[in-house]
Amino acid sequence: MGTWSTEILGNDSAMDALGALADRQLSFADLADELRGDYIESDAGAAVLALIEVALAARGLRELPQADAVDAARDVLDDERAAWLLEQTDRVLGAGSEVYELWQEASEQSLREWLGKVEASIEDLRQALGSAALVGAAGGGTGD
């Protein structure tokens, strides 16, 4: 994983995932297969985290320069898929995850910075999905 910053999108794998999403070539079935094993390769882990960022951007909660990826996310990252991404984060941020292991090998400060950003994004998406569920439960504002 070529990493150049502690930003969630600050690595080659994350940018590759956004490129595949923008080109409408990202396969969620393939990603799910990659996440099923005992060990999560860095590409799959970085993809999950990058997709959380773009899911936030598609909901107007982040500004990302990758407009094509954000547009594609609006079409494919519905609340169900976004919730599925959140379900993967415990494994992506735990033992058996290459992306997490690579950050553990970095400096303690870099790990803390990166982890703080990741955890904030996870919480932001949880909040957004919780708000969407509340709107849906209240009738979705259909003007009944």
Side-chain angles (χ1 to χ4, degrees):
M1 177 174 80
T3 302
W4 57 86
S5 82
T6 58
E7 298 299 318
I8 295 170
L9 301 179
N11 63 79
D12 293 335
S13 298
M15 296 307 291
D16 289 346
L18 292 190
L21 178 64
D23 293 341
R24 314 247 177 195
Q25 299 296 313
L26 183 79
S27 168
F28 283 89
D30 289 348
L31 181 58
D33 285 344
E34 292 178 44
L35 296 168
R36 278 193 188 99
D38 293 334
Y39 189 75
I40 298 174
E41 300 289 335
S42 65
D43 288 348
V48 167
L49 300 177
L51 291 170
I52 288 172
E53 280 297 289
V54 78
L56 288 165
R59 288 162 173 77
L61 300 172
R62 290 285 187 280
E63 293 287 328
L64 295 182
Q66 297 84 1
D68 291 345
V70 175
D71 289 342
R74 287 186 184 106
D75 294 336
V76 299
L77 282 175
D78 59 13
D79 288 351
E80 185 177 334
R81 276 203 174 131
W84 177 81
L85 290 168
L86 289 174
E87 291 170 6
Q88 309 312 307
T89 59
D90 283 344
R91 292 199 55 232
V92 170
L93 298 177
S97 169
E98 184 179 24
V99 71
Y100 189 72
E101 288 174 1
L102 291 170
W103 279 106
Q104 284 181 312
E105 293 170 5
S107 72
E108 183 66 29
Q109 179 181 350
S110 293
L111 173 63
R112 279 195 313 269
E113 280 180 38
W114 174 78
L115 198 52
K117 292 170 186 175
V118 169
E119 289 172 344
S121 290
I122 290 168
E123 183 57 29
D124 289 348
L125 188 55
R126 279 195 180 118
Q127 291 291 322
L129 294 178
S131 297
L134 291 174
V135 169
T142 58
D144 298 339

